[in-house]
Amino acid sequence: SSDLGNLATAQPFSAHIPLHHHSTLLHPILGAMVRTGDKQGPKRSIRPGTRVCVEDLPEKVRQTSLQAAFGDFGNVVRIELFLDKRMAYIEYEEPADAQDAAQDMDGKNFEGKKVRTKLLTDKPRGPMDHAIRVQ
C-alpha cells in the first residue's frame, strides 16, 4: 500500500515538460500560428499551393480582418502581414481552400480597396535558409 502514498504526492506529468521560450503557439484570438521569442520556432514544412498572396491592401489593414474575410474559405494556419508593402501571405491548411480564396477574392473590394490575390505555388525555402548565415 506504500505505492498509493507515492501516487498521491506524484507531480502531474505535464510539470516535467520544459517549455521553450521560443515555441510556436496558437494565437487565442486569431487561431493563427504566432512565433514567440527571438529564435526561429520549430521547423514547419509548408505544403506547396497552400499560400495566397494578397496585394493592394488598405494601409491600416489588420490581421483580424484578414482572418475574418479569408477564414470563410477554410482553416487559416498563418497570416504574414507586410504593411509597408500593403500585402499579406495567407496560409491555409488545405491547398483546395487556398485555391478557392485566390480565385474568389481576386479583384474583390476589401475594406474599400480592390485587392489582387494569387495562389503561391512556390515551395518556400526550407530549413536551410536560416541554417547558414553569412555576414
Side-chain angles (χ1 to χ4, degrees), residues 50-106:
T50 56
R51 295 193 309 159
V52 176
C53 175
V54 187
E55 296 176 292
D56 300 334
L57 287 166
E59 281 178 39
K60 293 189 166 75
V61 68
R62 296 175 66 99
Q63 251 184 320
T64 46
S65 54
L66 284 168
Q67 170 72 43
F70 285 85
D72 290 345
F73 297 95
N75 188 20
V76 173
V77 180
R78 190 165 90 164
I79 295 174
E80 289 180 89
L81 187 53
F82 306 95
L83 279 177
D84 54 335
K85 297 180 186 157
R86 293 186 21 234
M87 65 177 279
Y89 290 144
I90 297 172
E91 184 187 338
Y92 286 89
E93 199 168 4
E94 296 300 325
D97 297 337
Q99 198 166 2
D100 289 348
Q103 285 174 346
D104 229 59
M105 292 297 284
D106 192 38

Side-chain angles (χ1 to χ4, degrees), residues 23-39:
S23 51
T24 301
L25 304 171
L26 210 60
H27 191 282
I29 297 165
L30 299 177
M33 299 290 267
V34 175
R35 282 229 170 102
T36 62
D38 53 354
K39 296 262 192 295

